[in-house]
Amino acid sequence: MTERLGTRVTLGLCAALLAMPGAALAAYHADSDTGVEALDYIENEHRSAREQRLTAEQEQLLKDAEAMSRHLRKPLDKTQPAPVAFEGDELTYDERTGEFTAKGRVSILQMDAHRFQAEEMHGNTQQQQVVIPGKAHLLQMTPGQVRVTLDGYAANYNYGLKTGTLGEAVGKAGSHYITGKRFEFYPDHIVVYDGTETRCGARNPDYHLAASKMVLYPNDKVVMDNVRFYIKHTKILQKKHYENNNLGSDNGGAPSFPRIGYNSDDKLWLKWHLDHDLGHHVVANAHLHATGADGWRSNYDVTYAHAGLQTGVTYGHFEDSDDQWIKKEPSWVTSYDHRLGHSHFHYGLDAEYGRWYGQGVHSNHSYGGFRLSYDPIKWSRNTLYLGTGYDITHESYDGSRVHGARFDAVLTRDIDLRWAGYVGYHYSKKNEENSLFNFDTDDYSKKLEGGFSYRVDDRNRLVVGTRYDVDHSKWRNVDYYWYHDMHCAQFIVRYKSMENTWHVRLQFTPW
């Protein structure tokens, strides 16, 4: 179980996962109290692999570029632009001036895996300039750069300087679908005017962003001015400035859109995270949460985050994975994460002090904790996560103080493209019996978790997650999940068999 808003995490596994490249921005994160989030990293790798599958056109470009490299007449000069080959039904070329004209199924191939295609183009080989007055098709598979496929008009491109323009274009950059009235190309970035961006590949996307200007930095970020957030054709939010980080990653770099769902406790619910940059690493966040059973259950915070340190003040309602609620009125929360030198160890410090309310009780709640984890240990198709720590919790209401160690060990196995499994052992001195609040706290100290995932096809996945109470020798949870991809969204059904409760969730891609 994890507590939202960057406070402490109960499982040391979470700290180990965050230490893995890309995991902190995982495209999918499970809601679970049986440890199935251990499979998230495997699922995200498989999801990314599916998104990275080459199209027939992309595969052909790479083959043609490789064939071109094998038939060079002289050694390649890496200080000069990559060699270029021209094809067309009708070609004219002036060796003195470098001027050329090409008509009819024209293709220009640059050996660094660039291709321009059109019905007509002209230019100058000495100036390394290409002009396409009509419709143009651009394909980029250059190593180290974001894959780009664009269809537009009136292209003007210098393949030596890697600068140019393209009008009224639509296509894809990485896993992001983009459109724009005008594209400007530069060696290290692309500028798009009056453009849109989305991860939804439908002809009429379920959601998208529109901006007066977008600056895309390959494998880094996109910076947007006067940006609007749309669900279908309805504008739900507008910002003067927005930065979408990790553009080159298929695991993140996307804004938060509303999520809706249903469960037996909350009934119909809606969640939506909004943030506003206050400058100097300070962000104001609103975690909006409305439920049919309890109404408005949101929380808000102002947080400073930089160089592993995160600290701030939060106020409002919080819910754990067991549907237990707490209200902070308010609370100060801080955490720090850092690697120990050049070793494989990571450590973290956590602290919280504030006024908690829950189960009819008010208490000044204070918490301090230390975390230590080791880089994930991989061999064959297995990954082992190890973490430990020490916590101290004090409550003013009854003067209680709970302190002690915790330990987490989780082993996952990526069996094949369809099957994955996990098993874990967790110990925490703190439990519901010795704690004032049952929020984010188990009923027992020692637990075993395990389960598996089976991918039926690219759109459907089945998961079983279990938890066993070692202290009392009994099963506590046997949960079943069905994940169904709906092109631009995911539909998730969870059945908690020991409680006979249902949870249903719908969320846009990415989440």
Side-chain angles (χ1 to χ4, degrees):
M1 294 181 291
T2 58
E3 187 176 327
R4 293 197 302 272
L5 194 62
T7 58
R8 63 184 182 276
V9 287
T10 303
L11 300 184
L13 166 66
C14 296
L17 286 172
L18 290 175
M20 300 184 67
L25 294 169
Y28 171 73
H29 177 69
D31 289 340
S32 164
D33 50 8
T34 58
V36 297
E37 62 270 17
L39 300 177
D40 288 350
Y41 192 77
I42 295 174
E43 171 60 18
N44 289 328
E45 285 188 323
H46 289 179
R47 186 183 302 275
S48 178
R50 292 193 298 274
E51 288 186 343
Q52 291 297 313
R53 289 174 185 165
L54 299 182
T55 64
E57 180 186 33
Q58 291 172 330
E59 290 180 342
Q60 189 61 51
L61 173 57
L62 293 177
K63 291 178 181 178
D64 292 345
E66 182 182 1
M68 185 178 178
S69 68
R70 294 198 303 264
H71 295 87
L72 293 177
R73 296 180 179 178
K74 57 183 179 179
L76 178 66
D77 185 353
K78 295 184 178 180
T79 64
Q80 298 296 317
V84 175
F86 296 81
E87 294 181 356
D89 294 339
E90 186 178 328
L91 295 172
T92 60
Y93 175 63
D94 189 328
E95 292 184 354
R96 297 170 302 169
T97 64
E99 296 287 339
F100 73 88
T101 300
K103 296 181 179 180
R105 294 182 295 180
V106 183
S107 176
I108 296 181
L109 170 65
Q110 194 169 10
M111 203 177 74
D112 63 355
H114 274 89
R115 173 172 277 154
F116 281 93
Q117 292 176 315
E119 288 300 315
E120 178 183 353
M121 67 176 70
H122 60 86
N124 189 294
T125 58
Q126 295 179 8
Q127 298 174 1
Q128 300 173 325
Q129 193 77 20
V130 175
V131 178
I132 303 175
K135 186 176 181 180
H137 180 69
L138 166 64
L139 186 64
Q140 172 181 289
M141 292 292 292
T142 306
Q145 294 290 318
V146 173
R147 299 172 182 172
V148 175
T149 305
L150 284 174
D151 288 286
Y153 295 86
N156 190 324
Y157 190 73
N158 187 297
Y159 55 84
L161 300 175
K162 297 187 184 297
T163 60
T165 59
L166 182 66
E168 298 293 343
V170 58
K172 192 176 183 183
S175 59
H176 298 253
Y177 297 86
I178 54 178
T179 71
K181 289 188 176 180
R182 177 180 170 84
F183 282 67
E184 294 180 355
F185 300 95
Y186 299 92
D188 62 343
H189 67 281
I190 302 172
V191 181
V192 184
Y193 295 94
D194 295 320
T196 67
E197 183 261 348
T198 181
R199 287 281 298 274
C200 177
R203 182 179 296 274
N204 295 306
D206 293 338
Y207 67 91
H208 71 276
L209 281 69
S212 60
K213 180 182 179 181
M214 298 190 298
V215 183
L216 297 89
Y217 298 90
N219 293 315
D220 187 11
K221 64 181 179 179
V222 57
V223 180
M224 304 182 185
D225 293 329
N226 300 315
V227 61
R228 288 90 64 199
F229 299 74
Y230 287 88
I231 293 182
K232 285 297 186 181
H233 302 293
T234 303
K235 183 172 69 175
I236 61 172
L237 182 65
Q238 183 168 342
K239 287 186 174 184
K240 290 185 178 179
H241 183 80
Y242 176 74
E243 291 194 15
N244 179 345
N245 294 318
N246 298 283
L247 177 67
S249 168
D250 290 314
N251 288 337
S256 173
F257 285 89
R259 298 189 303 165
I260 61 173
Y262 176 90
N263 63 50
S264 304
D265 294 313
D266 297 335
K267 307 307 179 185
L268 186 67
W269 57 261
L270 180 144
K271 295 181 181 179
W272 193 10
H273 167 75
L274 301 174
D275 61 74
H276 180 70
D277 189 359
L278 301 179
H280 301 291
H281 309 292
V282 179
V283 177
N285 298 282
H287 303 266
L288 306 182
H289 188 176
T291 73
D294 300 306
W296 203 250
R297 310 292 281 178
S298 305
N299 63 76
Y300 313 87
D301 69 270
V302 176
T303 300
Y304 170 87
H306 181 62
L309 174 66
Q310 180 172 295
T311 184
V313 177
T314 182
Y315 180 91
H317 293 86
F318 291 80
E319 182 185 22
D320 67 14
S321 57
D322 279 333
D323 302 314
Q324 301 290 341
W325 288 92
I326 199 75
K327 186 177 182 183
K328 302 182 181 183
E329 308 176 314
S331 193
W332 168 77
V333 181
T334 190
S335 66
Y336 179 72
D337 296 273
H338 193 70
R339 180 185 290 272
L340 280 171
H342 299 288
S343 72
H344 293 283
F345 289 94
H346 302 256
Y347 72 90
L349 302 173
D350 304 291
E352 178 172 359
Y353 181 79
R355 187 73 167 172
W356 278 29
Y357 173 75
Q359 302 161 237
V361 171
H362 283 92
S363 178
N364 293 332
H365 172 89
S366 61
Y367 168 84
F370 170 77
R371 291 177 280 110
L372 181 67
S373 62
Y374 193 85
D375 283 341
I377 303 170
K378 294 188 175 184
W379 74 97
S380 184
R381 303 181 70 92
N382 305 291
T383 305
L384 176 64
Y385 304 92
L386 297 172
T388 188
Y390 193 90
D391 304 310
I392 301 175
T393 304
H394 177 261
E395 303 290 352
S396 66
Y397 177 80
D398 58 0
S400 62
R401 181 183 299 272
V402 180
H403 58 90
R406 68 172 183 267
F407 174 76
D408 305 282
V410 176
L411 176 67
T412 66
R413 179 169 176 80
D414 186 4
I415 302 171
D416 54 33
L417 292 177
R418 291 189 180 275
W419 291 93
Y422 73 98
V423 62
Y425 173 79
H426 306 277
Y427 169 80
S428 174
K429 175 70 173 180
K430 183 182 178 183
N431 58 57
E432 190 172 297
E433 293 181 355
N434 57 28
S435 301
L436 177 64
F437 297 101
N438 60 8
F439 172 77
D440 201 24
T441 303
D442 284 323
D443 299 340
Y444 40 94
S445 290
K446 302 174 185 177
K447 55 182 177 287
L448 288 171
E449 295 175 340
F452 64 88
S453 169
Y454 174 72
R455 176 162 295 285
V456 181
D457 51 39
D458 281 355
R459 302 189 66 181
N460 295 280
R461 187 166 63 104
L462 303 176
V463 176
V464 177
T466 67
R467 172 178 286 185
Y468 184 77
D469 179 356
V470 178
D471 290 337
H472 303 94
S473 302
K474 61 185 297 187
W475 291 99
R476 294 284 188 168
N477 298 88
V478 180
D479 297 352
Y480 303 90
Y481 303 79
W482 171 43
Y483 303 97
H484 176 64
D485 285 330
M486 303 169 62
H487 195 63
C488 299
Q490 186 168 88
F491 180 70
I492 304 167
V493 177
R494 176 189 182 189
Y495 175 61
K496 303 180 72 170
S497 64
M498 305 293 286
E499 301 173 12
N500 193 28
T501 59
W502 291 87
H503 297 243
V504 180
R505 186 165 85 243
L506 177 68
Q507 55 196 23
F508 290 108
T509 307
W511 29 82

